[in-house]
Every structure is written in structure tokens, then in C-alpha cells.
Amino acid sequence: MPGAIVAVVLLTVISALAAADTHGVAVVGAVQGGFPPIGLPSGISWSDVGKVLPTALSCFVLIVAQSAATSRGFAFKHGDSVDINRDIVGLSGASLAAGLSGTFVVNGSPTKTQILDEQKGRTQLANLTMAAVVLLFTLFFTGLLADMPTAVLAGIVFLIGVSLIDLPGLKRLWRRRKDEFVVALITTVTVFAVGVEQGIILAVVLSLLDLVRRQYKPGDYVIGQDQAGEPTYLPAVPGAQSLPGLVVFRYDAELFYANANRFADQLESVVSAAPVPVRWVALDCAAIDDIDYSAGVTLANLVNYSRAHNARFVLVRPDTQLLATLRAYGTLDAIGADNIFPTLEEAFSAYRADPGTAPVATPPSSPL
């Protein structure tokens, strides 16, 4: 049953019969019908651009964020593909037409999408039907809307908004990613207390700060091998090593100016505290797909640091783009092409076969 339509029709009829507007009930009132005027907006000159630009930017942020989230959310729900860029182009063209016809900007509304989804609207025929009905009401039947209580519209939107709240998803977020749950909670409170636009902007800022935090202090490991030759991941703490004289260091983040020094300090602390003098320092690049210039300089300094400690610096599992970046910095020339290995297995095999890395007995640990 289309409950929203029943509620609108029934309560509009009751409002009209009872003259609800004379009893203090807010109604929609008279709606101007007919086609809108076509042309540039009147009453706004170039001197007013500074006044309307903040509102326009607010609409832009709200529409792009809300429409993208709506498209992606409902597409994933039904297993469909989504092209957000195409949606933005369509919204831009529609909003341009709206600006030339004196109407509201066009938004990918989550509430209207939810209504359409509840009524099993799965094709563009549903949107075309909606547009045709709106056109008919705008041209001929605006008088039927005059007695509609505004509380009816508010109630429908409220109930649809409640149905969009994903409480199970919030529970999963709390169990699996508490930092992102905090961002979601702060955003929700801000939307209710301040406004949607401010909530979206705050969510973007908090998400970026959380991203920088994770990039600044990611997971770092010393990779070894078990008896079957499979890699093992140990915490990168002083004293850890992959093999006697070998440290394979993994850093699970891109290297950039904010985390380059921490990366270097962590690697140096592992190398300097190794129980056996390190002969090979291997950087596992599987999680590093980009390095900015500051981090590139830091990496070059680590190459010099390794050589000063009589250790060979090698790269393991770098991708083509990373090699191209290091080549442009000149860092790849300092490392050397013979110090690049495409797999962990090849790096371990090369280390074992290197005559300069003859096995050294590990000193016995002190009794407790």
C-alpha cells in the first residue's frame, strides 16, 4: 500500500472539510501554477555575486555529497553499478536549467529516492512518471494542494529519514572501527544541532584528519619466513630481524613529509638494535605506491645510513609507478638496479646466496 499517498490524500481532504487553516493548522496554501519564466534571474546584479556565492557554494557541497552518497548507497543495495561523475554532470545540467527557470537547484534526494525504492521503482519509467505527474499538477491542479497540512509533508519526510538510519551498520562500525564510529556520531550530532552543510564539512575535515593520523602511524612489521617458506609478520620493535643479518621492513602507508621521519626512526631503531649486525636492509614496498619528494630524500638518507653500517639497502615488491617516482628523484640510482627484487622469495634467496652474508651464529639470550 502506498502509505504516503494515502496519508496525503486523506489528510488533505480532512483539512479541507474541517477548514483546518482557520484553527491554526499550517497548510501549504496557494501555489502559483503554470510554466516558470525562462531567462537569467531578475533582481540580481554582478554586485550581488558576493552575497549569493556563499549560498551557492553551500548548495554545491550539500548536493554533491548527498547525491553521491544516495547514488552509491542505493546502487550497492541492489547490486547495481554507479558512476558518480556522470551523476554530477547530470545534476549540473539540471541545476543550470533550474537557474534559467527560477526554480530550486536539483539534488539527488535520499528521501525521494527511498520513496521510489519502497514503491519498487527500478527503471527510468518511474522518474518519467513522477515528472509527468508533477507537470500536470503544476499546470492544472495546484489548487488541490492548498489545503494540504505542512505537518503531513514533515511527517512523511521524517518517517522516511528514520528508515534511512542504519542502526545495524552503526553497531558494526562501533565493533570494527571505533574511530570512524566517532566521526559518524559527531557528524550526526552536528547535523541535528547545527545543520546539514556544517555536518558534511565537519565530516570531511574529521575524515581527513583521521586519514592523516592513520598514515602517520600505520602498521609496521619485520617480515620473516616460516619452515614452509611462507612470510611471517612480526612487530617492528628493536631486536626483531628476518634472518640473522637481514631485516625486511614493511611500512603499511604511503611515504610523505608527515610520516617520513617516523618511518626512518622506526627502521633505524630496528637495524641498530638487531642481535646480529645487519648486512641487508630490505624495504617491502607492497603497501607503498607513492613517495613525495621529502620522503624520497629521507629514503636516500636511509640508503646512505645503511651503507655507513656496511649494509646493503634493497627494495622488495615495488610497483612500476613507485620505481618511476624514485627514478625521477634520483633515489633509484643511489639504490641500484641490482638491489630491486619483485618478490619476497627472491629477496630471501638472494640474501642466502650472497657470499657477503654468510650465516652468523645468533648470540645466546641471557637467562632470566
Side-chain angles (χ1 to χ4, degrees):
M1 177 184 295
I5 296 178
V6 173
V8 168
V9 174
L10 181 61
L11 292 174
T12 301
V13 171
I14 294 175
S15 174
L17 294 176
D21 58 327
T22 62
H23 297 282
V25 176
V27 296
V28 173
V31 178
Q32 181 179 353
F35 282 104
I38 305 300
L40 294 174
S42 59
I44 297 179
S45 62
W46 284 107
S47 61
D48 298 318
V49 171
K51 299 178 182 178
V52 300
L53 190 59
T55 303
L57 290 176
S58 299
C59 291
F60 168 77
V61 172
L62 179 61
I63 288 172
V64 170
Q66 196 174 69
S67 301
T70 301
S71 297
R72 187 176 291 111
F74 281 89
F76 289 168
K77 177 180 178 181
H78 297 291
D80 298 327
S81 59
V82 59
D83 187 345
I84 301 300
N85 291 329
R86 185 176 64 179
D87 288 348
I88 292 175
V89 171
L91 290 168
S92 301
S95 292
L96 178 61
L100 295 175
S101 57
T103 56
F104 287 109
V105 291
V106 182
N107 182 23
S109 170
T111 53
K112 296 182 179 68
T113 306
Q114 178 70 8
I115 291 176
L116 198 62
D117 186 65
E118 288 179 349
Q119 303 305 319
K120 304 297 188 295
R122 297 290 184 266
T123 69
Q124 291 299 331
L125 181 60
N127 286 315
L128 291 173
T129 303
M130 180 192 66
V133 171
V134 170
L135 182 61
L136 286 174
F137 267 82
T138 303
L139 294 178
F140 307 112
F141 304 117
T142 55
L144 298 177
L145 305 176
D147 292 311
M148 180 191 301
T150 55
V152 174
L153 297 177
I156 293 173
V157 173
F158 177 80
L159 290 175
I160 293 172
V162 169
S163 68
L164 288 171
I165 299 175
D166 185 10
L167 290 179
L170 287 174
K171 292 179 180 178
R172 290 193 299 270
L173 196 59
W174 168 254
R175 291 195 303 265
R176 301 173 184 176
R177 198 80 181 192
K178 288 183 173 56
D179 53 347
E180 294 185 23
F181 175 84
V182 171
V183 173
L185 186 62
I186 294 176
T187 302
T188 302
V189 173
T190 304
V191 168
F192 278 111
V194 184
V196 176
E197 174 203 348
Q198 292 81 358
I200 290 175
I201 294 175
L202 180 62
V204 171
V205 172
L206 291 177
S207 298
L208 290 175
L209 291 175
D210 186 52
L211 175 63
V212 172
R213 180 190 64 80
R214 293 199 305 268
Q215 292 287 326
Y216 175 75
K217 195 175 181 180
D220 42 17
Y221 308 93
V222 171
I223 303 178
Q225 277 187 325
D226 59 17
Q227 297 295 331
E230 297 297 324
T232 60
Y233 295 86
L234 304 174
V237 296
Q241 60 180 352
S242 305
L243 290 174
L246 170 65
V247 170
V248 180
F249 185 76
R250 178 185 174 96
Y251 199 72
D252 283 346
E254 296 179 1
L255 292 179
F256 65 116
Y257 66 92
N259 64 6
N261 289 333
R262 182 184 181 278
F263 158 77
D265 293 342
Q266 187 73 359
L267 179 54
E268 289 177 4
S269 67
V270 173
V271 171
S272 61
V276 174
V278 175
R279 295 291 176 259
W280 274 37
V281 178
L283 175 62
D284 179 22
C285 302
I288 304 174
D289 56 8
D290 192 25
I291 294 180
D292 71 0
Y293 181 76
S294 298
V297 172
T298 300
L299 190 62
N301 292 334
L302 283 173
V303 175
N304 296 331
Y305 170 85
S306 300
R307 290 175 179 169
H309 288 74
N310 300 316
R312 180 179 175 182
F313 191 92
V314 305
L315 299 180
V316 184
R317 299 194 290 187
D319 62 23
T320 304
Q321 181 60 44
L322 179 61
L323 292 176
T325 301
L326 293 178
R327 185 177 293 108
Y329 294 161
T331 307
L332 194 62
D333 294 333
I335 295 173
D338 57 339
N339 290 323
I340 299 173
F341 298 92
T343 65
L344 286 169
E345 292 79 5
E346 293 185 44
F348 276 100
S349 299
Y351 175 76
R352 292 187 177 97
D354 189 344
T357 59
V360 180
T362 303
S365 58
S366 301
L368 297 177

